[in-house]
Structure formats: C-alpha cells, structure tokens
Amino acid sequence: MARITAGVATSHVPAIGAAIDLGKTRDPYWQPLFAGYDFVKQWIANEKPDVVFLVYNDHATAFDLNFIPTFAIGCAERFQPADEGWGPRPVPEVIGHPVLAAHIAQSLIESDFDLTIVNRMDVDHGLTVPLSLMFGQPDAWPCRVIPFAVNVVQYPAPSGKRCYALGKALRAAVESFDEDLNVQVWGTGGMSHQLQGPRAGLINKEFDNAFLEKLVNDPDSAAAIPLVEYLREAGSEGVELVMWLIMRGALDARVLERKRFYHVPASNTAVGHLVLENMSAP
Ligand code: DHB
Ligand code: FE
C-alpha cells in the first residue's frame, strides 16, 4: 500500500530559483536563506520519496485568465518547466505518475472534490523552485511528481477549511493505492507577501509565526482562518498559505516537527519552511 510519510512546506519565490540558476546561493543576501534548507536536503536524501504530491499555484502560466480551475491534478507522463518570460529555468523535466494521479483523481472526485483533470501542462516557479530547494541541481529529479494546482490567483480562492479537508481525502486516496510507495505531500507558496497596490511589500512576522505554530500543533484552528484574514494580515499573495493546509490535512493529527525555518525577506516575500513527519510512518 502507498503511504504518506511526511509533509514539507516552503515558499516558492521565483527569485530563489534565479539565485540557484545563476550561482548566487553564497552571496550575502542569499546565504542565510539557503542555510535554512541544508537540513531538508540531507533529510530527503535519506527519506528517498518515490512520489511527491506537489501542491502549488500556477501563476497565469499554464492557465491564463481564460481558464482558472480551482483544483487541477496533473495526470501527464511528464511536465516541462514553463517559460515565464526569461526562458524556461534550466532544470530537469518533471516526471509524473499518471497511474497514481488517475487513482487520486478518481478517489477525490468520488469524495465530492471536483478536480479538473489536466493531461498536458507546463509547470512554473511555484513547482520548480521547491524542487530546486529540496534537491539542488541534479541532472534528473530523483522522484516522480504529481503537480496539484490550486487557484489562489483570482478570487474566489478555495477556503483553508476546504483545502484541509481535501488533504484528508488525499490521504485516504493514497492509502488505497495498491503499491508500496513512499509518498510525500508538499505545500508551497506564502508566507506573507503582497506584490501590488498600495500595500506592496507587506510582511507580517507575527501572523506568519503564529501560522507556523498553529499549522504544526493546532491544524484545526489553522484551517478555520477565513480567507479575508489571510488577505488582511498576510497580504494579497499571503492567501497562497491555504495550500499548506492540503499538506497538513494529509498528515497525522500530531506530527513530528523536524524543521521550522522563517526568513525575511526573499524578494518581496517572507519565507517559511517546515518538515513534518507522520508519527505513524514506518
Ligand atoms: C514573489 C513571490 C511569489 O510567491 C511569486 O509567485 C512571485 C513573486 C516575490 O516575492 O517576488
Ligand atoms: Fe507565488
């Protein structure tokens, strides 16, 4: 049987990808940020996930503003890094797991989560930056990846509560897949940031740190945060944090916290990162 062994949360700021691609990770601006990811690189080399279910948002890259699915599951064999205006990032293509993705789609849709099935899409920084942060710069990504895109770009976005419930249903879906697979769930985006308007540059350390604590140790109360509170406290793009709740919902009620990291800023964003293990994992 497939098992969800752990969850990872991380911001996905595109400038982090550019710093990696341009060899700037030891620059004074970037060094403290990348130091926060030393632990996870070692940890994941031992954990060796077979599949990462990677929750991210498409930033009007694969889906333009003509079509905006609320929840979209990538069922393709492979996904190419997108050209976001500067050419595609020089990172490996992403190899999917179409059989597990189709199983998850079936299970979640039967559980009343109306996913959009995507058989072809390019993946942007929301997905490729987290892969680079965890795995560095390999010739090929060391595991398969199921991209799961959540609309947090145009209102209405799904609520934190809905995302948390989806995470729980995802766990049941994975655990009913009849193959021994080590599956991780990653939630990306956040933390506080606002990229436009009079409040551009907004950072709220107090909100972010309270969110980290709640997400780890009191996830039901993190799930109850209404969208308007993310908007008010964490800025217009802070709502990306609802994606972390899918990850958290897929884990045990009580988890083993292996890493918590918070750093301000990277570009315009407060960076948060968590590594959580399921107590029930073997
Ligand atoms: C930035 C952060 C994001 O999450 C994003 O999608 C784009 C830009 C930033 O801080 O620059
Ligand atoms: Fe983003």
Side-chain angles (χ1 to χ4, degrees):
M1 161 179 115
R3 286 174 154 276
I4 295 176
T5 55
V8 174
T10 183
S11 306
H12 61 215
V13 182
I16 295 174
I20 294 169
D21 301 341
L22 299 171
K24 293 186 176 171
T25 58
R26 297 212 174 97
D27 285 10
Y29 179 84
W30 289 110
Q31 193 279 331
L33 179 277
F34 287 103
Y37 289 83
D38 286 344
F39 170 82
V40 74
K41 287 199 178 72
Q42 302 260 327
W43 172 85
I44 209 158
N46 289 326
E47 292 289 313
K48 295 189 179 58
D50 299 302
V51 184
V52 169
F53 187 90
L54 206 160
V55 184
Y56 75 111
N57 64 295
D58 179 78
H59 300 74
T61 305
F63 313 125
D64 63 20
L65 294 179
N66 288 321
F67 299 99
I68 308 177
T70 300
F71 296 116
I73 186 162
C75 295
E77 296 272 358
R78 50 194 71 230
F79 306 87
Q80 303 307 321
D83 185 340
E84 299 178 63
W86 304 95
R89 290 190 60 213
V91 293
E93 67 176 347
V94 173
I95 307 300
H97 196 309
V99 179
L100 178 58
H103 170 83
I104 292 171
Q106 167 121 11
S107 178
L108 286 181
I109 291 168
E110 279 177 2
S111 308
D112 301 330
F113 291 92
D114 304 315
L115 309 188
T116 298
I117 293 162
V118 183
N119 292 320
R120 183 176 175 177
M121 69 175 168
D122 292 345
V123 286
D124 72 10
H125 65 272
L127 184 132
T128 63
V129 167
L131 287 172
S132 299
L133 279 168
M134 306 314 148
F135 295 127
Q137 294 173 289
D139 292 333
W141 300 122
C143 62
R144 292 167 183 259
V145 177
I146 297 176
F148 191 79
V150 179
N151 168 38
V152 287
V153 167
Q154 179 169 315
Y155 281 82
S159 68
K161 193 172 150 222
R162 184 75 174 148
C163 290
Y164 188 56
L166 193 152
K168 289 178 189 264
L170 169 65
R171 181 174 192 165
V174 169
E175 290 183 349
S176 61
F177 189 67
D178 196 17
E179 187 184 330
D180 281 334
L181 291 174
N182 175 355
V183 180
Q184 292 186 357
V185 181
W186 297 3
T188 78
M191 298 192 82
S192 55
H193 63 305
Q194 172 145 345
L195 301 177
Q196 73 272 303
R199 296 204 308 164
L202 176 144
I203 299 281
N204 185 342
K205 292 184 186 177
E206 212 178 355
F207 175 88
D208 288 340
N209 282 293
F211 184 83
L212 288 169
E213 176 56 28
K214 269 188 197 168
L215 191 77
V216 176
N217 291 316
D218 187 6
D220 289 351
S221 83
I225 297 171
L227 284 183
V228 67
E229 190 172 327
Y230 290 100
L231 184 64
R232 188 178 60 233
E233 300 296 330
S236 51
E237 279 65 52
V239 72
E240 290 181 348
L241 284 170
V242 295
M243 296 185 288
W244 295 25
L245 281 156
I246 295 180
M247 175 277 284
R248 189 63 185 86
L251 300 181
D252 296 345
R254 293 194 50 221
V255 286
L256 191 60
E257 179 178 347
R258 299 298 308 277
K259 178 76 186 178
R260 185 186 301 199
F261 176 64
Y262 184 69
H263 175 82
V264 175
S267 184
N268 300 295
T269 298
V271 168
H273 168 48
L274 291 169
V275 177
L276 306 176
E277 282 178 14
N278 260 342
M279 302 256 196
S280 59

